[in-house]
Amino acid sequence: MSEASNPVSMIEISNLVKNYGSKFAVDDISFKVSTGEIVGFLGPNGAGKSTTMNILTGCLSSTSGEVKVGGIDILENPDEAKKLIGFLPEQPPLYVDMTVDEYLNFVYNIKSCRLNRAKHLEEIRKVTKIDDVKNRLIRNLSKGYRQRVGIAQALVGNPPVIIFDEPTVGLDPKQIIEIRNLIRSLGKTHTVILSTHILSEVQSVCDRIIIINDGKIIADEKTENITQVVDDNRRYLVKIAGPMREVTAALKAIPGVVTVDLTGEREMDSYVYSVEASKGVDVRKPIFYAMAEKNWAILGLQVAQMNLEDVFIRIMDKASR
Amino acid sequence: MSAIYKREMRAYFTTPTGYVFIAVFLAVSGFVFAVSTFQSQTSDVSGYFQLMIFGYIIIVPLLTMRSFAEERRTRTEQLLMSSPVSVTSIVLAKFFAAFTMFAGTVLLSCVYYLPLRKYGDTNVGKAFGCLIAMLLLGMCFVAVGIFVSTLTDSAVTASIGTMAILLVFVTAAIFNNLIDAYVIRQVLSWISVYSRYVNFTYGIFDVAATVYYFSITVIFLFLAIRVYERRRYA
């Protein structure tokens, strides 16, 4: 666990509840995030992601529960706690009648930062790649630029905790990659929480994933372990040159194989089969021998990686069951 | 707080709001001044100031309607809320910015007095008293406007709401003559910002009225702060 190497919890949320009458937006959430961790907050629309983030940043109060940032309670000492946080809300909070530079200076002032102003702001403009528009009115900027100004705003004052609510919305693919790289590099020295419903984003950026649905945490795992949460049968994709029906029958005859399906992919007389084997059984060798016996050539064999989409949907299914 | 104040002041002049306010203010006050003094052949300015109170009902909301409503609509309030700034200082910064605009324009309109002074027999003390009263009254009106602006995310709703409240404030005393019940009359004249204003027109500095105007201002600013803090709990 990273908590062993990094014992300091920058963010500590315990038993957080937020309800609007009988509707629970956040229902008893607890988690900790340690320094230098990048946590992805994943969930369908209306799951409570933004609500949690708004509570975390002091924009919204909780019904009950405790939120500590850097050991400081956000309700008891909001000003001190807020100094530690840079926040990019779902909609970047931009004053469109200001230029980028004026805006960043304003943010610098209200956060009452004590840094080398010119140098610090220039650094931020550089990493977010908005230096070339610094004298333009925010009103006239494209969505991608606005989003990046929003990100820049969150970095002002170099806060140790950075919270991004859907940071890559509205960016083009190249910008998305740049922003992901930026987030990854921020994660080395900062604590980052980002929410998204783009699963590949979480997979490529985050160390840890928290999946939230209906205001409850339904999974909280390291990114590389998340697929193991759904312990299901393994699937293999095998491309075999041979008569389709007979191959299917032969595959089904192998002990451990549960189902055999055609994926629909074919090339001349070879088909790609999706073979599902029961848990803990490696059927690759038996497939090879079975096919070799019949003189059918195996053109390809791979373990089907369960991607995050599958995991996500399965976890959601499990939770709703 | 000073950062927000400066931003507000900037916003008045980088958007049409400030220019529209100053232009409308000077146009209305110029016309009223000309009619109430030169045309009615008098150098007594108290009539002008009395009429201007009604003008403020329409002009002041122009200043205050956007202050919080716009932040709420564009979600920039999230920046302020997540910054280490207290709600009190946000409200005060916005109030002072709007009041600066108001007071500045009122002082600007004092140039009307110069030709009157040159050609007429004027009473400076009396005019000065009226001016002070105007600033105090304007302070209340701005506070009301700031408060109403926290209630909505639409600047139009905010301005109409402000006008409605200001209208009640100003006209409360006028209904007084029509009502027999003593208690209601007392309540109405207490509410009325208009009746408190009268002493100033005689050149008397009315301490009780001054305290009253400050109280009204503080009450509405306090309400604005409460509304904002309450919204976090909504």
Side-chain angles (χ1 to χ4, degrees), chain A residues 150-168:
Chain A
I151 292 170
Q153 162 272 125
L155 302 182
V156 170
N158 220 349
V161 176
I162 293 173
I163 296 173
F164 286 144
D165 202 347
E166 306 194 356
T168 53

Side-chain angles (χ1 to χ4, degrees), chain A residues 161-320:
Chain A
V161 176
I162 293 173
I163 296 173
F164 286 144
D165 202 347
E166 306 194 356
T168 53
V169 168
L171 302 179
D172 66 38
K174 190 166 165 280
Q175 293 165 344
I176 290 181
I177 292 169
E178 283 167 7
I179 291 301
R180 283 183 191 164
N181 288 336
L182 172 64
I183 294 172
R184 229 175 279 134
S185 67
L186 285 172
K188 286 174 193 143
T189 45
H190 298 69
T191 304
V192 183
I193 297 188
L194 64 99
S195 85
T196 176
H197 33 236
I198 307 165
L199 298 145
S200 59
E201 187 159 288
V202 195
Q203 216 161 14
S204 69
V205 174
C206 302
D207 307 321
R208 195 172 130 203
I209 299 178
I210 294 175
I211 298 180
I212 172 171
N213 187 32
D214 262 343
K216 289 192 177 76
I217 291 179
I218 53 177
D220 181 353
E221 286 292 330
K222 298 234 135 203
T223 308
E224 59 264 33
N225 298 341
I226 195 93
T227 46
Q228 290 168 13
V229 174
V230 259
D231 47 356
D232 263 328
N233 300 340
R234 269 252 168 109
R235 276 194 315 122
Y236 302 89
L237 294 173
V238 204
K239 191 172 184 183
I240 298 164
M244 192 240 290
R245 279 165 202 278
E246 288 159 52
V247 171
T248 311
L251 286 172
K252 275 188 178 156
I254 296 167
V257 170
V258 184
T259 60
V260 177
D261 292 307
L262 276 171
T263 58
E265 226 180 298
R266 66 172 293 188
E267 181 191 325
M268 307 292 284
D269 61 340
S270 54
Y271 297 84
V272 179
Y273 303 85
S274 161
V275 179
E276 193 180 334
S278 44
K279 200 179 155 192
V281 184
D282 191 342
V283 293
R284 282 175 293 184
K285 274 185 187 169
I287 291 177
F288 171 76
Y289 290 125
M291 295 302 118
E293 201 178 291
K294 299 274 174 81
N295 257 341
W296 295 325
I298 296 180
L299 302 179
L301 172 60
Q302 66 184 101
V303 180
Q305 270 301 334
M306 202 189 298
N307 62 13
L308 213 47
E309 266 85 354
D310 297 333
V311 175
F312 186 65
I313 289 163
R314 290 199 187 196
I315 290 178
M316 299 293 287
D317 279 351
K318 261 191 182 172
S320 60

Side-chain angles (χ1 to χ4, degrees), chain A residues 110-142:
Chain A
I110 56 169
K111 288 191 174 174
S112 41
C113 310
R114 306 229 180 286
L115 295 159
N116 182 338
R117 177 192 294 254
K119 202 171 143 237
H120 177 60
L121 292 185
E122 194 190 337
E123 247 169 49
I124 289 174
R125 288 196 310 262
K126 288 257 162 69
V127 292
T128 51
K129 304 232 161 63
I130 51 172
D131 210 28
D132 49 332
V133 295
K134 66 174 180 180
N135 292 321
R136 282 178 54 188
L137 278 180
I138 294 174
R139 183 193 306 283
N140 300 331
L141 296 181
S142 67

Side-chain angles (χ1 to χ4, degrees), chain B:
Chain B
M1 183 169 142
S2 73
I4 299 175
Y5 173 81
K6 276 187 217 148
R7 203 211 72 78
E8 286 293 312
M9 289 306 289
R10 251 196 91 270
Y12 279 128
F13 291 105
T14 50
T15 61
T17 317
Y19 300 104
V20 169
F21 171 77
I22 294 173
V24 171
F25 190 104
L26 293 182
V28 171
S29 61
F31 176 74
V32 172
F33 192 82
V35 169
S36 63
T37 57
F38 297 116
Q39 211 180 26
S40 29
Q41 309 264 307
T42 169
S43 60
D44 185 1
V45 289
S46 57
Y48 157 72
F49 282 115
Q50 242 160 41
L51 279 173
M52 276 312 287
I53 293 176
F54 291 92
Y56 293 160
I57 296 176
I58 297 172
I59 298 168
V60 168
L62 288 179
L63 268 187
T64 57
M65 62 184 188
R66 286 164 57 103
S67 62
F68 280 99
E70 190 74 1
E71 299 255 5
R72 194 155 152 187
R73 193 179 63 79
T74 59
R75 304 275 187 93
T76 44
E77 61 171 13
Q78 275 183 307
L79 174 65
L80 300 180
M81 301 283 262
S82 65
S83 300
V85 203
S86 68
V87 177
T88 309
S89 53
I90 298 173
V91 170
L92 284 181
K94 284 179 176 286
F95 166 74
F96 282 127
F99 184 63
T100 308
M101 285 296 291
F102 175 82
T105 318
V106 167
L107 294 179
L108 198 62
S109 69
C110 289
V111 292
Y112 302 152
Y113 198 60
L114 296 177
L116 195 66
R117 190 151 162 65
K118 189 167 180 198
Y119 300 111
D121 176 22
T122 52
N123 183 337
V124 182
K126 210 169 155 182
F128 193 69
C130 289
L131 183 66
I132 298 284
M134 277 305 108
L135 292 177
L136 289 172
L137 206 70
M139 182 176 74
C140 295
F141 284 16
V142 169
V144 171
I146 295 278
F147 162 68
V148 177
S149 187
T150 59
L151 297 175
T152 170
D153 61 359
S154 146
V156 175
T157 312
S159 72
I160 293 172
T162 311
M163 285 178 203
I165 295 184
L166 294 184
L167 197 66
V168 171
F169 264 139
V170 172
T171 55
I174 295 173
F175 296 116
N176 247 354
N177 309 330
L178 310 170
I179 294 168
D180 278 335
Y182 174 77
V183 182
I184 298 176
R185 275 220 309 265
Q186 281 303 105
V187 170
L188 282 180
S189 70
W190 190 88
I191 292 174
S192 170
V193 288
Y194 192 72
S195 54
R196 315 246 161 193
Y197 158 81
V198 176
N199 271 342
F200 287 98
T201 62
Y202 303 129
I204 300 166
F205 186 78
D206 188 339
V207 178
T210 308
V211 170
Y212 168 82
Y213 288 136
F214 271 103
S215 315
I216 293 284
T217 307
V218 169
I219 287 170
F220 276 98
L221 291 182
F222 175 75
L223 286 176
I225 294 167
R226 292 309 304 162
V227 167
Y228 240 67
E229 287 193 332
R230 178 97 189 102
R231 279 196 45 221
R232 286 173 43 190
Y233 294 85

